[in-house]
Amino acid sequence: MASIGRMWRQLKTKYSIYHVFVFLLTFFSYAFFHATRKTFSNIKTTISSEWTPQFCNATEPCLRPEKIWMGHHLFDSSSDAEPFLGWLDSTFLISYAVGLYISGILGDRFDMRKVLSLGMCLSAVVVFVFGCLTEWVHLYSQPFYIILFVLNGLLQSTAWPCVVAIMGNWFGKSTRGLVLGAWSACASVGNIIGALLVSQVLDYGYEYAFLVTSAVLFAGGIINFFGLVPSPKDVGLPEPEDGDDDDDSVSSGDEDETGVTARTPLVQSDTDSPVTFTQTRPQAISFFQAVCLPGVIPYSLSYACLKLVNYSFFFWLPFYLHSQYGWKETVADEISIYYDVGGIIGGMIGGYLSDRMKKRAPTVVTMLLLALPSLWGYSASPNNKTINAVLMAVAGFFIGGPANLISSAISADLGRQDLIKGNSEALSTVTGIVDGTGSVGASIGQILVPLLHKQLHLDWHWVFYFFMLMTLMTVVCILPMLVREVRSMKCFLNYQLRRQAAALVQDTHRTDRQHSLNS
Amino acid sequence: MANPGRSFATLLLFFVSCQWCLLLTGGQEDNALSLCQLSSCRSPLVDDGVVYTMCQDRHGLQVWGRCCVNVTDTTHNVTIGLDLSGCNINDEFFKESPLLTLTHLQTLVLDNNPITVLSSEDVAGLTELNYISVPTHSNCSCPGGEEAWSQHIRTVNTTVCVEQTSTCTIYDGSCPATSSHCVEDGPGLFLCLCNEGYYGYKCLRQGTFPMSAFLAGLGSSTVVAAVVLWVLQRRHVKTA
């Protein structure tokens, strides 16, 4: 009983009401962004139907009246519309990747609250124009759709760097893994919200699905503008510690009876840590400097490989399940939720372990190495939906977990490392670089996987091998970081010390023997 | 000085709109009338023709040029029989689809005319058409083809088709089941109309979106949330 009370007091001193609202606001902001993306995926069949005339040939007569059945001719048939829908997806991914680099830079230079709110509101407007306005004025035009999607990709990219940076500002390295692991559920929650909203209003017409999700996103932008505090400095609270040494001093054991630690908020004058009431941020880091920060390139490249696996897995899953087991495409949607769930749990557990170890790379590498057999295990799944779902969750745990970690907690760590602490704002830029490179990897995957399957006529198993290869590449990219982190780990240092001591003892024994021999 | 100019302009406007009015309203009747009094028809309605016999048989029917017209309803004159045999009609005649206005036409005779093809679009909507006689030229056959008529009587000069079949029964299942239903629309033609409650392109839409309720709800909750959060969070923000 007493320990729970102590834990609660610990929590209350470590986190304030600001932390709660920052968590919730950033969580739902990103969720709403994902909801608008999910809207498009879920209405693909309906919008394809809206763009084409009713199918007819020699055996099936063309339906009349023409105004109801044959009036829209953006595409001749739904099979003609499919490649265009694919183009829209690819265009979005590419502009999203480019936008991530730009938004990362913007986030560090301007007020992140404003960047995020503006991004949300403008993206909502673009989505509204794309899905709702074009339908209301019956303007169906391919180039117009593409332009809108490019815009949407650029605007949606403002989300991730800003929300991760804001979370990184509020949650220090000691808890970042667990908190951000739980927080990463925002993407999946957003997918669920999007799917729910769409299913409720799709009967009224697909344009209302876009109206609802874009209106909700716009509302979120307004709420963020009035309620989001991007950094503790804005309200006079101390920034969380990010260096390794300071973590030891504020670890859970070191507090006095009243629960007051050096990080007690709202009590400024007694503590050593300088608290600034000014809004003058440190200068934003330049893009080139950010890229050259230690750890940024390895983790960016690794995330590119990992996001390729993540995205392509989802993209290709419906085809695989249909061709392998004859299951409908809706089954793929349901099963992918298990992957998401596995990923969230993996992110949380991996985050917690890496928080305790105070090192991220060992956890990530271990999980990724375990991902290889889990992928193989999934490819050998029997024709049973329950077992398939379980194997999917396991694969999600080992692949999605590290992906979550890299894109959130590790990006935040890299952006607030000792090298630049207090000297420059880099959090948003680094997050943008890591996620941007990841999205480039995802776009490549979107092009490669269909190529591998269709052009080279490879069996599905070869696609799995390709995924395992990319997972291995992810590990290879992180190896430099792993080596460095393992070297600095306490247990490794202890091990080295003991070896050195043993070598010393051996030396003294040898010299003793020599002496005794000589004398 | 401006006055005469202005009154002239209004007079001109009145004249033009009058003509335009007459054109619109009188159009249909003119069209029907002009078919009955087609200038290329040299002779009047033949005594032993189907249309003439039909007109003699029943009350309230009157011969009018080449038509048999139902005059019981004093406001409209409904043409139920049309005999255009020997009127030198060719395929050009059907370009403007002149027959479509005769929605209650039951008998159509087109013998002795240089028509090569008669498609179902030319007689679209004529659901009551149950007797049609067309010249037996190389390609010409009854509109809608073999399946559209119950009986075909083919002679050297003419082909007579009697009794339209139910196109909806033949093409059962063509209209998307849940959202639309089939309605007859003439020989070999059918319409898929939206069911009750469905509307829009391909009858995809159902119900009316509660726009005002949605906007009101979202707007009010946004304002409330923004105010609450501003009070709780940003009120303490120090601006440089």
Side-chain angles (χ1 to χ4, degrees), chain B residues 99-155:
Chain B
L99 298 176
L100 298 190
T101 52
L102 310 171
T103 47
H104 295 276
L105 196 65
Q106 294 173 19
T107 310
L108 178 64
V109 177
L110 294 168
D111 305 339
N112 293 324
N113 284 308
I115 310 170
T116 55
V117 60
L118 196 65
S119 70
S120 45
E121 269 76 42
D122 299 327
V123 289
L126 305 186
T127 49
E128 294 178 40
L129 189 64
N130 279 319
Y131 181 102
I132 186 167
S133 173
V134 294
T136 315
H137 274 268
S138 44
N139 287 334
C140 193
S141 63
C142 296
E146 300 273 312
E147 319 86 44
W149 303 93
S150 328
Q151 279 184 55
H152 310 261
I153 307 157
R154 211 183 180 90
T155 63

Side-chain angles (χ1 to χ4, degrees), chain A residues 49 52 64 68 203 207 228, chain B residues 185 192 202 205-206 234:
Chain A
S49 186
T52 54
R64 294 165 72 246
I68 296 182
D203 278 344
E207 66 270 23
L228 187 61
Chain B
D185 193 43
C192 290
K202 289 186 181 171
R205 289 167 173 71
Q206 255 182 298
R234 287 200 65 84

Side-chain angles (χ1 to χ4, degrees), chain A residues 65-115:
Chain A
E66 274 200 19
K67 204 172 87 125
I68 296 182
W69 302 99
M70 317 294 279
H72 297 166
H73 278 277
L74 190 64
F75 296 98
D76 288 331
S77 70
S78 53
S79 47
D80 285 343
E82 240 180 73
F84 181 69
L85 289 170
W87 273 114
L88 283 178
D89 275 332
S90 308
T91 314
F92 180 84
L93 260 185
I94 293 170
S95 66
Y96 187 71
V98 169
L100 275 170
Y101 292 111
I102 300 175
S103 302
I105 298 173
L106 287 178
D108 277 332
R109 278 162 180 69
F110 301 107
D111 186 353
M112 277 191 272
R113 169 185 66 112
K114 290 185 189 157
V115 173

